Amino acid sequence: IIVGGEALLPAHLTPLGDDLSGLDIYNEYGPTEATVGCTRYRVPSGPFGASPFPIGRPFGNVTAHVLDPWGGLLPPGAVGELCIGGLQVALGYLNRPELTDERFVADPFLTEGHLYRTGDLARWLPGGELEFLGRSDDQVKVRGHRIELGEIEALLSDSDGVSSCCVLAPTGADGQRRLVGYVVPVGEFDGPGLEEGLGRQLPAYMVPRTWVPLASLPLTDNGKVDRSALPSPESPSPSGAAYTAPRGPLEEQLVEIWQELLGVERIGIHDNFF
């Protein structure tokens, strides 16, 4: 069984039964501009976690590089743009010279040849496999910090109690972006528990403080998450903490200042802007 075109989750294999030892299952990755098939990961027989499977290693005659914005190689674990090289890479787009120049660049590691800039985010895992982390288009800037939403989603997918998820950074009425986590929970939803788990792996500014539990994520006709169909979150407290009212004139004045600055209707004394 060979699959591709979308991140492969362990839940997708559930219909095949508990014993996969008699099957050879391959998760493939590759854009059309590089003849579709570029990397391949052989799925083990199990057991599985909840996070998507890696996209594996390059095929023969294919090169794969994870590069920083300046075209430099990134070390294992660092997130960057996945660039594909090899004989199968197209020469460019028909009658689209500007787009061709943007996406098809000279291969800095060879005297001849060129790379296709996929626009996809990835990183090398310790075992030498590639992990797909979403589109670079999903990179957002929140309070001065550049954030890859796919990196948050990858860790969130691996959290206990999460069946599937999506992370957005919508702009509020005050013009500021805030991270919002959409989660299909397994059992009872536990927002504070998710925040605590992510906080052990990510800096505080990358941890969503607004959560929207859903029965299922909306999908497009081809099975991808329809981000435009996700519901707008209700106005949250900045930290997601339980609301505690101000206890005197000084705290009331501080809360009023924060409410005006953040455009949030209700702020408790334990809420944390940062």
Side-chain angles (χ1 to χ4, degrees), residues 21-152:
S21 58
L23 294 174
D24 291 333
I25 303 175
Y26 293 94
N27 185 31
E28 290 193 358
Y29 163 88
T32 302
E33 292 86 345
T35 323
V36 184
C38 293
T39 70
R40 177 178 61 188
Y41 174 76
R42 183 171 182 174
V43 176
S45 59
F48 308 126
S51 58
F53 291 107
I55 58 174
R57 303 169 185 263
F59 285 15
N61 296 324
V62 177
T63 60
H65 305 290
V66 179
L67 305 181
D68 63 22
W70 301 274
L73 286 172
L74 287 171
V79 178
E81 183 178 15
L82 179 57
C83 296
I84 301 295
L87 293 175
Q88 84 293 348
V89 175
L91 298 179
Y93 296 106
L94 183 63
N95 299 327
R96 300 288 300 277
E98 293 183 359
L99 187 58
T100 295
D101 291 342
E102 177 186 349
R103 287 297 178 184
F104 294 87
V105 298
D107 190 334
F109 310 108
L110 297 174
T111 56
E112 296 182 356
H114 58 284
L115 298 176
Y116 172 66
R117 298 180 55 196
T118 66
D120 292 330
L121 296 173
R123 63 183 166 193
W124 291 103
L125 297 174
E129 311 282 356
L130 280 166
E131 180 183 26
F132 172 78
L133 294 172
R135 294 285 301 167
S136 59
D137 307 329
D138 294 336
Q139 187 184 76
V140 297
K141 198 170 186 180
V142 179
R143 294 181 184 148
H145 298 284
R146 292 196 178 276
I147 296 173
E148 284 87 16
L149 299 180
E151 186 173 2
I152 304 173

Side-chain angles (χ1 to χ4, degrees), residues 208-262:
R209 306 297 178 182
T210 304
W211 299 95
V212 180
L214 299 171
S216 62
L217 294 177
L219 302 177
T220 62
D221 291 339
N222 61 359
K224 298 180 184 293
V225 175
D226 188 354
R227 295 172 183 264
S228 64
L230 291 167
S232 298
E234 297 180 0
S235 180
S237 63
S239 68
Y243 175 74
T244 303
R247 299 164 296 185
L250 179 58
E251 289 185 354
E252 289 175 356
Q253 186 178 14
L254 289 171
V255 163
E256 288 176 1
I257 292 172
W258 280 112
Q259 287 174 329
E260 180 181 354
L261 289 173
L262 298 179

